[in-house]
Amino acid sequence: MVALRVIPGGAASAEARKPSSSAPSEPSVSPPPPAETRESIAEGLRRRVAAGWALVAHSLSGRLLLLTIVYVLLTEVVILLPTLGRYHRSLLESHIANAEIAILPFTEASGAKLSQGLRTQLLERAGATAVMLQRPDQKELFLANEEPSHFDLTIDLREANPLAQIAAGLDCLFDGGNRILHVVSATRILHADAIEEITNEAPIRADLLSYAGRLVLVALAISLATGVLVFLSLYAVLVRPMGRLTRAMVRFRDNPEDASRIVQPSERRDEIGQAERELASMQRDILGFLQQKARLAALGSAVAKIQHDLRNILASAQLASDRLADSDDPVVKRLAPRIVTSLDHAVNLATRTLRFGRADKHPPQRALFPLAPLVDEIGETALAGEPADKTVVFDNAIPAALIVDADREQLYRILLNVIRNAADAVKDRELGNVTVKASRDEAGVAIRICDNGRGIPAAVQAKLFQPFAASTRSAGTGLGLAIARDLAHAHGGDVLLESTEPSGTCFRIDLPDRAKTR
């Protein structure tokens, strides 16, 4: 058998196909991969798709990308619908224009000489089955072949309603196809009022579908391009700086005592820059608090050791003071009770300090007792060391009948710290005045300690109750108000700076009754 083979660029040549004595070789086909390999590839692909979807759906940048694409698509839909309606109308108007051109030669007097075949050919080229021209006195009908028996839908192009155009375009797109249309429009043919065309909807719908497909592709391209651009912009402006802040917070959390881990704020003037500066400030404050806590822990350990030895010394002094009480010297008899009371308070304070150092919480042992005698005792102790050339008037204005519900020893320490601060505040006055007042309401007792000092500076007020931070005296430790507030908190109350001005300062101590704190 002889076969012809066409050589590109040349003529045909004949070659004889002779049967070979040897068996034809099988074409080498690589074996399909085993089922396990195919499954592993499919599983890896699924994992990659899941990881990509998780990145897009659960990350801030991915959500921004999805939302941008969705919003742009919605905007495109709003624009696409009127465009689709206008394009459908333009297709119908184009059909009407072609129909006008097709029948125009036959509207003249010489048109009667033209053949029926030419008329049919022109109408078929125009895509019209029949055309009717409305004149004031008659109607002219031009048929391509035979008169149509019916039409399915009438569209009047003389009405310009945008919503009707959108509805007609969507109706043609989704419900159209093989319908027969009756289209009515104004005409530019002389001495005619309107023109009517009967045509098949299939070509119109095909053009509309093609146009709608192009519109959808353009809308998707615009949405993707806009989404990517917005995503890149937001990623550069927001997401990347937020990621930097998050990494800085995590890094600082791992070792908050390392000063090198504090975030370095940028020079940005927007909200991100403000957040960076606030984070850096907060991290510096936390580092300071931790360093202060470490120093306080070391100081507490040293104080516990000192207090242990001091308690032993005070116990010995307490034994000696008991023998002083038996003396017949009137001066010793007058001073001995005060010394004994002060030593008792000192021993008790040393014992409780040791308990506090062992993290042994000592809740208030509350009892009802009159407040005025305790304030008198504290006033004598707080003003005992005043110089002879200075006059400080201590006014205990607490009613004798006022009863307070508190731990007497802890309230003693609260009042002593606040009153001693008030006495120190009036030292530079020629006539200092410290007044203690108290009142009771349904919640408990409010104690006010007021002085006529020069007030507390604004820079000190912000750290007034922080340990070691709010002392205005060179010899002060800054612990008095911090201790007083901690003890008041243990009672369910508080120590507050009620007012301060150049003419004086007033502190308020709130001590609620037990029934109000349960």
Side-chain angles (χ1 to χ4, degrees), residues 268-348:
R268 297 176 60 149
R269 299 294 181 184
D270 55 4
E271 290 79 0
I272 297 293
Q274 182 179 358
E276 291 175 344
R277 291 187 288 273
E278 292 297 330
L279 176 61
S281 176
M282 182 188 69
Q283 289 178 340
R284 285 192 293 268
D285 291 342
I286 293 175
L287 178 62
F289 291 149
L290 291 176
Q291 291 175 345
Q292 183 182 23
K293 181 180 178 181
R295 290 195 296 268
L296 286 176
L299 178 61
S301 177
V303 168
K305 298 175 182 178
I306 295 172
Q307 288 283 18
H308 182 271
D309 296 335
L310 181 61
R311 185 184 61 172
N312 295 333
I313 296 171
L314 291 175
S316 300
Q318 191 176 31
L319 293 175
S321 66
D322 291 339
R323 300 189 63 180
L324 287 177
D326 298 334
S327 175
D328 295 332
D329 190 336
V331 177
V332 174
K333 283 189 174 183
R334 181 170 58 85
L335 295 178
R338 185 182 301 172
I339 295 174
V340 171
T341 302
S342 298
L343 287 174
D344 289 340
H345 287 306
V347 172
N348 194 11

Side-chain angles (χ1 to χ4, degrees), residues 358-514:
R358 295 193 302 267
D360 182 16
K361 293 186 178 180
H362 179 66
Q365 304 298 318
R366 305 179 73 143
L368 297 174
F369 59 89
L371 181 60
L374 179 64
V375 173
D376 286 332
E377 180 183 342
I378 294 171
E380 293 178 2
T381 303
L383 303 178
E386 292 299 322
D389 58 342
K390 293 292 183 181
T391 302
V392 177
V393 177
F394 181 75
D395 183 11
N396 183 359
I398 297 176
L402 182 63
I403 302 298
V404 66
D405 181 13
D407 185 315
R408 196 177 193 280
E409 183 64 31
Q410 292 188 8
L411 183 56
Y412 178 93
R413 293 172 61 189
I414 295 172
L415 292 172
L416 179 63
N417 282 309
V418 180
I419 293 174
R420 184 172 288 166
N421 284 349
D424 291 334
V426 298
K427 282 184 177 180
D428 58 346
R429 296 284 193 181
E430 294 183 1
L431 179 61
N433 191 344
V434 177
T435 303
V436 181
K437 301 176 288 185
S439 60
R440 170 171 285 282
D441 57 15
E442 295 180 356
V445 174
I447 306 171
R448 288 176 173 82
I449 297 96
C450 303
D451 62 68
N452 65 338
R454 301 189 183 278
I456 300 174
V460 179
Q461 294 179 29
K463 301 181 178 180
L464 194 59
F465 295 95
Q466 295 181 13
F468 306 107
S471 177
T472 58
R473 297 178 289 124
S474 59
T477 62
L479 283 171
L481 289 176
I483 293 173
R485 171 168 273 188
D486 287 342
L487 294 174
H489 285 171
H491 284 76
D494 202 355
V495 178
L496 303 170
L497 175 62
E498 192 168 53
S499 63
T500 182
E501 52 190 14
S503 60
T505 301
C506 188
F507 282 88
R508 188 179 82 244
I509 303 171
D510 294 329
L511 292 175
D513 295 337
R514 278 173 288 182

Side-chain angles (χ1 to χ4, degrees), residues 43-338:
E43 182 63 26
L45 182 60
R46 281 195 295 268
R47 283 199 300 267
R48 290 189 181 91
V49 172
W53 172 250
L55 177 64
V56 172
H58 301 294
S59 66
L60 180 61
S61 55
R63 291 177 182 176
L64 287 174
L65 177 61
L66 288 178
L67 288 176
T68 303
I69 292 175
V70 170
Y71 292 154
V72 174
L73 278 177
L74 291 177
T75 306
E76 291 289 339
V77 168
V78 174
I79 300 173
L80 183 143
L81 291 179
T83 305
L84 200 65
R86 287 194 297 270
Y87 186 75
H88 178 253
R89 181 183 178 90
S90 68
L91 289 175
L92 296 177
E93 290 176 346
S94 176
H95 268 257
I96 289 294
N98 292 335
E100 285 180 336
I101 295 174
I103 67 171
L104 188 60
F106 303 100
T107 59
E108 301 294 331
S110 59
K113 300 178 182 180
L114 300 176
S115 66
Q116 179 64 30
L118 178 62
R119 176 183 300 185
T120 301
Q121 186 176 4
L122 289 174
L123 289 176
E124 288 178 349
R125 286 294 184 91
T129 303
V131 178
M132 180 181 295
L133 190 64
Q134 296 183 9
R135 296 186 183 276
D137 53 350
Q138 64 178 353
K139 291 183 179 181
E140 296 182 44
L141 179 62
F142 303 89
L143 297 175
N145 290 310
E146 58 182 10
E147 185 176 356
S149 60
H150 73 286
F151 52 83
D152 300 312
L153 180 65
T154 298
I155 300 176
D156 193 345
L157 298 181
R158 293 173 296 183
E159 299 176 0
N161 186 350
L163 294 179
Q165 293 177 15
I166 296 174
L170 294 177
D171 179 66
C172 176
L173 194 63
F174 295 104
D175 294 334
N178 297 320
R179 296 184 298 186
I180 302 300
L181 298 182
H182 174 218
V183 184
V184 182
S185 175
T187 182
R188 289 172 292 181
I189 297 177
L190 295 177
H191 310 299
D193 298 331
I195 186 172
E196 302 178 22
E197 178 188 9
I198 296 178
T199 183
N200 190 357
E201 191 182 23
I204 298 175
R205 184 173 182 270
D207 288 343
L208 190 63
L209 278 173
S210 177
Y211 181 74
R214 295 193 299 272
L215 278 182
V216 170
L217 291 178
V218 170
L220 287 175
I222 293 175
S223 300
L224 289 175
T226 306
V228 170
L229 291 176
V230 172
F231 165 76
L232 294 177
S233 302
L234 293 179
Y235 183 82
V237 175
L238 292 178
V239 177
R240 188 170 60 182
M242 290 299 296
R244 177 173 173 266
L245 283 178
T246 303
R247 290 190 297 272
M249 289 188 286
V250 172
R251 185 169 178 267
F252 183 78
R253 182 198 62 189
D254 294 337
N255 187 6
E257 296 183 3
D258 185 1
S260 64
R261 294 174 181 259
I262 296 176
V263 65
Q264 297 298 324
S266 62
E267 299 296 329
R268 297 176 60 149
R269 299 294 181 184
D270 55 4
E271 290 79 0
I272 297 293
Q274 182 179 358
E276 291 175 344
R277 291 187 288 273
E278 292 297 330
L279 176 61
S281 176
M282 182 188 69
Q283 289 178 340
R284 285 192 293 268
D285 291 342
I286 293 175
L287 178 62
F289 291 149
L290 291 176
Q291 291 175 345
Q292 183 182 23
K293 181 180 178 181
R295 290 195 296 268
L296 286 176
L299 178 61
S301 177
V303 168
K305 298 175 182 178
I306 295 172
Q307 288 283 18
H308 182 271
D309 296 335
L310 181 61
R311 185 184 61 172
N312 295 333
I313 296 171
L314 291 175
S316 300
Q318 191 176 31
L319 293 175
S321 66
D322 291 339
R323 300 189 63 180
L324 287 177
D326 298 334
S327 175
D328 295 332
D329 190 336
V331 177
V332 174
K333 283 189 174 183
R334 181 170 58 85
L335 295 178
R338 185 182 301 172

